[in-house]
């Protein structure tokens, strides 16, 4: 395979894993964020049932993305991990708390209120930590030589807090739209009413992050606001406006599946914007994907494994969603 740039292929695999993770775990984290807004009893049980068969499988993509970063871009992993220890540990603890609460609320009904609180707390913590980690990476990491050279709290800034809250709004919107698709009756009507306000909140968050981002790095400013690059990058906010219009129109027409896919479209455009800002850096302004890449032979060996495992994961994930398609009820899967 000499002549083929495996570094770009691995960057694509990791980007694909992150995109699939955001799509699949985003909506079930969003249901956890919205959980206190639902009535105790049937509504909460139905919300849980809508993700019960798939929530743990959704997190497979987070493992694949993190493992792939370690194996294919070890220098980037060695720099990013110490820079983001606090938000990454918080994210993992939030996911653990959420997973434990998910299982125990069905088997320990006497303390269900506590497990419901833990489910929400874990979902909010995990989401907020992911948003902060993204913001901290985008704003830049201090690097000297081949190592992280910043302090313990470098990740904490007004911008990273903004991206943390923006991701909470985004995941809550995905969870709301997922429940519109998967439920009916009072819970579905409640989610229709929330989806409009959450859509406005997410668009406001996207606008604030978009205004702040060009001023984080000179390269960001040049790509987004300098001529002639602005002719191409302006298509992203234009597409965001069109998808937003289609999203709100689908809500007004009481469509069930369309709002979820339009919400995914907004997430996809945000990720496109992230790619425009960062490419080809894995640590913005410091390390490119080629500088961080593992040796060619290592990438080739791992690519064979990925070529076997990724289709298997896609296969069993698709099968799970197909088996549990349709509306959900209040009877538990556990």
């Amino acid at each position: 395979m000499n002549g083929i740039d495996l570094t770009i292929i691995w960057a694509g695999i990791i980007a694909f894993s992150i995109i699939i993770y955001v799509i699949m775990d985003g909506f079930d984290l969003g249901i956890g964020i919205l959980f206190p807004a639902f009535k105790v009893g049937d509504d909460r049980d139905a919300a849980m049932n809508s993700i019960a068969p798939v929530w743990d499988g959704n997190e497979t993509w987070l493992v694949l993305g993190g493992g792939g970063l370690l194996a294919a871009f070890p220098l980037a992993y060695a720099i990013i991990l110490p820079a983001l220890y606090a938000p990454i540990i918080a994210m993992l603890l939030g996911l653990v708390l959420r997973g434990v609460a998910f299982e125990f609320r069905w088997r320990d009904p006497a303390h269900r209120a506590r497990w419901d609180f833990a489910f929400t707390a874990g979902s909010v913590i995990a989401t907020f930590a992911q948003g902060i980690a993204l913001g901290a990476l985008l704003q830049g990491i201090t690097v000297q030589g081949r190592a992280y050279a910043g302090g313990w709290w470098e990740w904490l800034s007004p911008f990273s807090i903004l991206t943390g809250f923006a991701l909470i709004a985004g995941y809550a919107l995905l969870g709301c739209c997922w429940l519109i698709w998967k439920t009916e009756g009072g819970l579905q009507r409640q989610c229709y009413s929330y989806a409009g306000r959450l859509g406005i909140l997410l668009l406001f968050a996207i606008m604030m992050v978009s205004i702040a981002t060009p001023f984080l790095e000179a390269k960001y400013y040049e790509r987004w606001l300098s001529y002639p690059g602005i002719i191409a990058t302006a298509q992203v906010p234009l597409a965001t406006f069109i998808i937003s219009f289609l999203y709100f129109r689908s809500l007004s027409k009481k469509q069930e599946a369309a709002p979820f896919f339009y919400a995914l479209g907004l997430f996809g455009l945000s990720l496109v914007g992230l790619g425009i800002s960062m490419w080809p850096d894995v640590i913005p302004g410091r390390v490119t994907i080629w500088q961080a890449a593992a040796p060619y032979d290592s990438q080739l060996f791992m690519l064979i494994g990925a070529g076997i495992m990724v289709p298997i994961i896609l296969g069993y994930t698709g099968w799970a969603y197909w088996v549990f398609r349709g509306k959900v009820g209040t009877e538990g899967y556990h």
Side-chain angles (χ1 to χ4, degrees), residues 25 32 35 52 81 106 172 180 200 284:
D25 209 28
F35 211 58
L81 197 65
W106 296 102
I180 288 175
I200 294 172

Side-chain angles (χ1 to χ4, degrees), residues 96-299:
V96 169
L97 178 63
R98 181 172 175 276
V100 171
F102 201 111
E103 299 293 336
F104 274 73
R105 79 177 298 274
W106 296 102
R107 291 171 170 77
D108 183 24
H111 301 98
R112 182 162 291 178
R114 296 180 185 178
W115 296 120
D116 286 354
F117 174 79
F119 179 62
T120 296
S123 301
V124 171
I125 291 170
T127 303
F128 192 57
Q130 287 178 17
I132 281 187
L134 175 63
L137 180 63
L138 193 58
Q139 73 187 4
I141 292 174
T142 303
V143 179
Q144 286 186 357
R146 295 169 60 87
Y148 173 62
W152 284 102
W153 299 97
E154 187 177 276
W155 53 271
L156 186 61
S157 69
F159 181 76
S160 67
I161 292 174
L162 172 63
T163 54
F165 281 113
L167 198 61
I168 288 177
Y171 280 0
L173 177 65
L174 286 180
C176 192
C177 293
W178 177 256
L179 290 178
I180 288 175
W181 189 10
K182 296 292 289 185
T183 65
E184 52 194 354
L187 180 58
Q188 187 189 54
R189 289 193 295 274
Q190 185 181 7
C191 289
Y192 270 121
S193 70
Y194 288 169
R197 283 171 278 179
L198 286 170
I200 294 172
L201 183 61
L202 176 61
L203 290 175
F204 177 74
I206 290 174
M207 182 181 69
M208 295 300 293
V209 172
S210 301
I211 291 174
T213 298
F215 299 97
L216 296 173
E217 288 273 350
K219 187 175 70 175
Y220 298 165
Y221 186 93
E222 182 179 350
R223 288 188 174 177
W224 283 102
L225 300 177
S226 296
Y227 183 83
I230 193 173
I231 296 175
T233 56
Q235 306 311 310
V236 177
L238 177 61
T240 302
F241 175 79
I242 294 172
I243 296 293
S244 300
F245 170 77
L246 295 173
Y247 169 76
F248 286 108
R249 190 180 70 167
S250 69
L251 290 180
S252 67
K253 291 185 174 181
K254 300 298 182 187
Q255 294 175 339
E256 293 190 335
F260 180 70
F261 290 104
Y262 289 133
L264 289 181
L266 293 175
F267 262 82
L269 288 169
S270 299
L271 292 171
V272 168
L274 181 65
I276 290 173
S277 298
M278 290 181 58
W279 178 261
D281 294 344
V282 64
I283 300 175
R286 279 50 166 194
V287 181
T288 68
I289 57 173
W290 293 283
Q291 291 171 330
Y296 183 90
D297 289 345
S298 299
Q299 289 184 341

Side-chain angles (χ1 to χ4, degrees), residues 57-75:
N58 292 344
E59 293 174 358
T60 303
W61 298 98
L62 180 64
V63 177
L64 182 63
L69 183 67
L70 168 63
F73 301 100
L75 177 61

